[in-house]
Amino acid sequence: MINQATFSQLQQDVGEQLAIQLLEVYLTESLELIKKLDIDSPQDVLEITAHSLKSSSRSYGALELASLCEKIEHQVKIGGVNAEVSTLITDVHAQSLVTFSHARELIDSTC
């Protein structure tokens, strides 16, 4: 889900049309990042990808997704790639479906 307060603030800061365009870019880039989040990815790729997705998700109000990515980033740093990371990756993929669907709804309802 996209936090409405965060998205509303973005709309106030940059205007409604630019906020929608930025959300579109977030969706496009995040879909590519999600593809890189795989248990078979090298540890450094997982850490960087989780960090990137965490940061951009926070910026757009995808707080649940950001939180899961932060957990992956932290777990990979302290424990490497393990069963917990695998579970978190599964959770991120599931949450991304919900988050991206909600973002698409926001875009469609504003256009």
Side-chain angles (χ1 to χ4, degrees), residues 3 6 13 33 40 47 57 66 68 86 89 93 100 110-111:
N3 178 279
T6 303
D13 291 346
L33 290 172
D40 295 325
E47 188 176 340
S57 293
L68 288 168
S86 180
I89 288 171
H93 282 269
F100 298 162
T110 306
C111 292

Side-chain angles (χ1 to χ4, degrees), residues 1 11-12 15 18 20 26 33 36 38 51 82 86 89 103:
M1 297 293 289
Q11 288 176 305
Q12 282 184 331
L18 183 54
I20 293 300
Y26 165 74
L33 290 172
K36 292 181 183 180
D38 185 277
H51 176 81
N82 55 32
S86 180
I89 288 171

Side-chain angles (χ1 to χ4, degrees), residues 2-3 7 11 33-34 43 48 50-52 58 69 74 79 88 91 93 101 105 111:
I2 302 292
N3 178 279
F7 188 66
Q11 288 176 305
L33 290 172
I34 287 291
Q43 183 172 333
I48 290 167
H51 176 81
S52 296
R58 274 203 185 123
C69 290
H74 178 73
L88 287 167
D91 293 346
H93 282 269
S101 175
E105 289 173 15
C111 292

Side-chain angles (χ1 to χ4, degrees), residues 40-104:
D40 295 325
S41 295
Q43 183 172 333
D44 62 328
V45 170
L46 282 174
E47 188 176 340
I48 290 167
T49 302
H51 176 81
S52 296
L53 190 54
K54 171 195 75 176
S55 298
S56 61
S57 293
R58 274 203 185 123
S59 297
Y60 291 94
L63 304 180
E64 295 92 351
L65 187 57
S67 177
L68 288 168
C69 290
E70 183 174 35
K71 290 176 184 176
I72 291 173
E73 182 183 17
H74 178 73
Q75 186 59 39
V76 168
K77 277 183 186 176
I78 63 166
V81 180
N82 55 32
E84 184 176 346
V85 171
S86 180
T87 300
L88 287 167
I89 288 171
T90 300
D91 293 346
V92 163
H93 282 269
Q95 182 60 49
S96 72
L97 294 175
V98 173
T99 299
F100 298 162
S101 175
H102 185 235
R104 178 60 49 204

